[in-house]
Amino acid sequence: MKILQLAFAGALALATLTGGALAQSSENILTIQLKDGPVVVELRPDIAPKHVQQIKELAAAGEYDNVAFHRVIEGFMVQTGDVQYGDMKAGYQAELVGTGGSSKPDLPAEFSNVPFERGTVGMARSQDPNSANSQFFIMFAPGDFLNGQYTVVGKVVEGMENVDKIKRGDDANNGAVTDPDRMISVKVGR
């Protein structure tokens, strides 16, 4: 009987720990709904806590909903997140999209040793390494030249096939997209 009680207690402890881990991990999941389906991003607060916190706050406030993929370069990356000029339902400005941020402050760089590979999510910024705000990009392919130069905030863990279907931009115009696809909704969790 004692062995059965210990086994039950162990199973209960394991279930509690697993449930806690799942709850904790869903706090660091970002789900982006696209026209072709969801994209699930595992955020990395362990390497970029300030950037991840800002992304989560913007997502929770609905700031990323309907924001355009304004720059998409075949074989390189897809960029989005300009909540100031990129909202395709309220205030979209094609001539300015990609230059804006959010009402939140710019962030100091949080560079890491995590490489830019297919599916890596990084923060977009100007020439100033400490200028990331709300815009981010998802890599179509490895980009070693970005390693240690841009902040990695996460990685696509599901739905990369949906990222691959995002409308491409004009190579002659630095990937600018006419009539771009958008993030329909973005939420923290699944």
Side-chain angles (χ1 to χ4, degrees):
M1 186 66 160
K2 191 73 164 166
I3 292 174
L4 188 57
Q5 287 176 328
L6 286 173
F8 180 75
L12 182 61
L14 182 61
T16 302
L17 288 173
T18 304
L22 289 175
Q24 181 181 7
S25 68
S26 78
E27 291 175 12
N28 293 311
I29 294 291
L30 193 69
T31 301
I32 304 168
Q33 185 62 47
L34 304 181
K35 69 181 184 343
D36 292 304
V39 175
V40 178
V41 175
E42 180 181 25
L43 297 171
R44 296 284 310 269
D46 58 318
I47 59 172
K50 292 176 184 172
H51 288 77
V52 167
Q53 184 61 37
Q54 188 140 307
I55 287 171
K56 287 167 57 172
E57 288 173 7
L58 290 167
E63 296 285 334
Y64 285 129
D65 295 354
N66 299 301
V67 172
F69 289 99
H70 64 272
R71 184 171 173 239
V72 184
I73 301 174
E74 180 67 43
F76 178 32
M77 60 91 222
V78 53
Q79 185 174 336
T80 187
D82 184 343
V83 302
Q84 185 174 4
Y85 301 120
D87 187 332
M88 296 187 70
K89 282 197 171 180
Y92 180 74
Q93 296 181 42
E95 67 283 355
L96 294 175
V97 69
T99 65
S102 73
S103 61
K104 296 188 174 295
D106 289 349
L107 296 165
E110 294 179 300
F111 299 150
S112 67
N113 292 326
V114 176
F116 280 88
E117 302 169 334
R118 176 172 164 76
T120 298
V121 180
M123 291 299 286
R125 60 171 176 79
S126 69
Q127 294 297 324
D128 178 357
N130 301 313
S131 63
N133 186 290
S134 63
Q135 294 187 47
F136 60 91
F137 57 92
I138 302 171
M139 300 297 291
F140 284 131
D144 296 345
F145 59 96
L146 300 175
N147 292 348
Q149 305 294 314
Y150 286 79
T151 298
V152 172
V153 294
K155 183 169 181 75
V156 173
V157 293
E158 292 176 31
M160 195 61 197
E161 67 279 6
N162 297 324
V163 175
D164 289 334
K165 295 175 185 173
I166 294 171
K167 182 180 179 183
R168 301 309 197 259
D170 180 3
D171 289 341
N173 195 14
N174 198 26
V177 186
T178 303
D179 189 26
D181 287 341
R182 63 189 169 100
M183 296 186 287
I184 296 167
S185 66
V186 181
K187 68 177 184 177
V188 177
R190 289 190 180 259

